[in-house]
Amino acid sequence: MSAVPAVVLVGPMGVGKSTVGRLLAERLGLGYRDTDDDIVAAEGRTIADIFVDEGEPVFRAIEKRAVHAALASHEGVLALGGGAVLDADTRALLAAHRVVYLSMDVEEAVRRTGLNAARPLLAVNPRKQWRELMEARRHLYEEVATAVVPTDGRTPEEVTQAALDALELKEA
């Protein structure tokens, strides 16, 4: 396992990667980074705007560069965007890391995100689109995962503890 980063979080939009990532970083005494935040900072616009203005292929290329840079340099807890695992090169890089797949079912997704229009891939018929996204991505999340941590019905603190336990990591 690579020392950089200590933990990588993957999973669908709205699963709690940012919240759990910050809690994990705090409990481990490490920094937290989110590649979606890196993209927004570098591009000076929201991910939704990039999707609308440039299209998904351009966004995925930007995302790939951001993820690869973060995997090479960030030593703490790193959260990846929901679609980052779609890229084969990214999945290959993740093989050298401790990766936690935060999973949830569609009802939990509805409850957490409201499956709102701010999610560019869920603009029309959100429940159906979320299910289709998960059918396309679930096996990719599982492929890269060192551990799978279900989040349904759990608090962020409970998910964080489950991730620490699953990876057998000691708190700072």
Side-chain angles (χ1 to χ4, degrees), residues 6-136:
V7 179
V8 180
L9 298 176
V10 299
M13 59 190 87
V15 76
K17 295 182 298 284
S18 298
T19 302
V20 171
R22 286 186 188 92
L23 287 169
L24 263 177
E26 184 180 303
R27 302 257 307 257
L28 293 169
L30 299 170
Y32 168 76
R33 184 167 169 184
D34 183 321
T35 57
D36 282 352
D37 293 341
D38 292 352
I39 293 165
V40 170
E43 295 294 312
R45 56 193 169 148
T46 67
I47 288 170
D49 285 345
I50 298 168
F51 263 84
V52 170
D53 296 343
E54 311 285 339
E56 186 173 359
V58 169
F59 171 75
R60 294 295 173 209
I62 294 167
E63 179 179 53
K64 178 178 179 174
R65 288 191 301 273
V67 168
H68 290 216
L71 287 172
S73 64
H74 182 66
E75 296 180 357
V77 176
L78 179 65
L80 304 187
V85 297
L86 295 170
D87 181 73
D89 294 336
T90 297
R91 291 194 309 276
L93 282 179
L94 288 172
H97 296 278
R98 280 189 207 102
V99 179
V100 176
Y101 162 32
L102 299 180
S103 68
M104 69 178 168
D105 68 23
V106 70
E107 295 313 317
E108 187 79 359
V110 169
R111 190 179 68 71
R112 288 191 196 174
T113 67
L115 294 180
N116 62 39
R119 309 279 185 174
L121 291 179
L122 301 178
V124 183
N125 195 343
R127 282 176 191 253
K128 178 176 182 273
Q129 287 180 292
W130 193 88
R131 280 193 187 94
E132 288 172 0
L133 278 176
M134 283 308 299
E135 285 170 18

